Amino acid sequence: MNAASTPTTDAHAASASEVDTGRLRTPLAETARQILFGESPYAYDAGAAAELHTISEVDRAHLLMLERRGIADPAKVRALLAEIEALRATGFAGVRDRPAPRGRYLSYESYLIERLGADTGGVLHTGRSRNDLNATTVRLRLRQPYAALLEETRQLLAVLRARAEEHRDVVMPAYTHRQPAVPITYGHYLLGLANAVLWGLDGLLHAGEEMDVNPLGAGAVGGTSVAVDPEHTTRLLGFRAPAPNSLHAVASRDFVLRLLSATGVLGVGVARAAQDFSVWTTEEAGLLHVPDDLVGSSSMMPQKRNPFPLEHIHGKAAAPLGGYVGAASAMLTAGYTNAIAVGTEAVAHLWPALRNITEAVVLMRLFADGTRPVPARMAERAEQGYTAATHLAERLVADGVPFRSAHHEVGRMVLDGLAAGTPLDQVAGGRLEPGTLAPAAVVAATDFGGGPGPASTRHALDELDAGLDRLGTAVDERRRRWATAADELQAQVEKALQA
């Protein structure tokens, strides 16, 4: 679903019996339904065919490099490429169910040797180890879920930005300690959340830089005396640069920790926003209205409208935190060399964490897009919460009253107002012009310090646009490089097979 869509347009066609759940007549938004109850589009494929497909990508680039360097005979390279292409075309039907007593790669290599003979099949692993192969394949397998997270985060940002501008004049209280504090706008709140997500996207991009380094050529741990060309495989596989040190190439999976850390930070921000939405959508608060396609009913209580996907956001957004602890714990007792605890056990925590944070981001996008403010209730709470009190104190300061004295004086006015049941502007009497303490007027005056005033909001929107453009360009560049390399690799394989 694109950023401009609303959850209502995302709803799936359902029969009356599926939709009629008491008070509700609209089905759950399709994307939310898939995430929560169906086949999630963000599920990671950890099956044999997916693993072998990634290995074969490396094999194709490695074989082309070996031929180009004069290390492998072109005829043997063509035979291997042809056999690999045949396997890819069938989803590796010939090898994915074979016994793999020493791992899937060696079973796959044994199959090629059986088919082509040792003189040809045995060429494949020249100048290479499973260590640098595994370090490479994990990076390649990570691209799809990582790219999906980057794109969904960018889509969340686009929705937050659009709704922030739409609701820039909807006055509401800002809350501290869950109590009304000062008047802001709902757009200002969404802009604040957008800034957190923008920094989260920046962190994700930075965390993914090391996965753009090509480990091929590092061998088991100490490189190789075979005159391989890592620059060539770097280009064919879409990496940014080859690894400069063989030990680091196979020993490190620190990019896994950085990604888990960055996704954890993003998840904390998303979960905190979900908490606000949970409170503000209660009947008691009534600040936000959630459409039917983002709520569920009760199996027993027909009056219920439960925004239960927000609870899923809380749970899913927390997954990277547990993943980080698990991965770091697996790594920290391993020596600094190739280690199964690092390359296998620690990495295993990454996949569910990426799926969960991506789903949390998508669900938050649906809520940010579809949930609507209730302006009258927001304005009422801003008024009844005496949120203009700080502004009144600041106006007294402008008239020469020391701030602490003004603070005490306004505090007494608030007590008087509460006792009499009268708003603050009436208690203040003739101290300020009529209407000065209306929450909307206070918002209009807060153009300093990044407040919700009109000029400040315009500046914040412009800054957000600049950040979106900058980070969006980086996201697009990375994806283009990967796609271009995949096309070039395919073209070179086809050319080699036609030779």
Side-chain angles (χ1 to χ4, degrees), residues 219-254:
V221 69
T224 175
S225 60
V226 177
V228 296
D229 181 10
E231 291 281 359
H232 191 61
T233 53
T234 291
R235 288 192 300 275
L236 291 178
L237 293 173
F239 289 105
R240 179 180 51 80
N245 180 275
S246 62
L247 174 62
H248 181 263
V250 300
S252 174
R253 298 295 188 278
D254 289 350

Side-chain angles (χ1 to χ4, degrees), residues 425-495:
D425 59 349
Q426 292 184 27
V427 180
R431 302 297 295 268
L432 296 174
E433 292 291 327
T436 304
L437 295 180
V442 176
V443 165
T446 53
D447 257 334
F448 305 95
S456 178
T457 296
R458 181 71 264 161
H459 175 72
L461 286 166
D462 291 343
E463 287 291 301
L464 183 62
D465 287 341
L468 271 166
D469 288 344
R470 174 176 58 84
L471 298 183
T473 297
V475 170
D476 291 339
E477 185 280 328
R478 200 167 293 189
R479 295 183 70 169
R480 276 196 302 270
R481 173 157 42 83
W482 296 341
T484 300
D487 290 343
E488 181 182 354
L489 177 57
Q490 181 64 33
Q492 290 204 22
V493 168
E494 292 172 0
K495 181 179 179 181

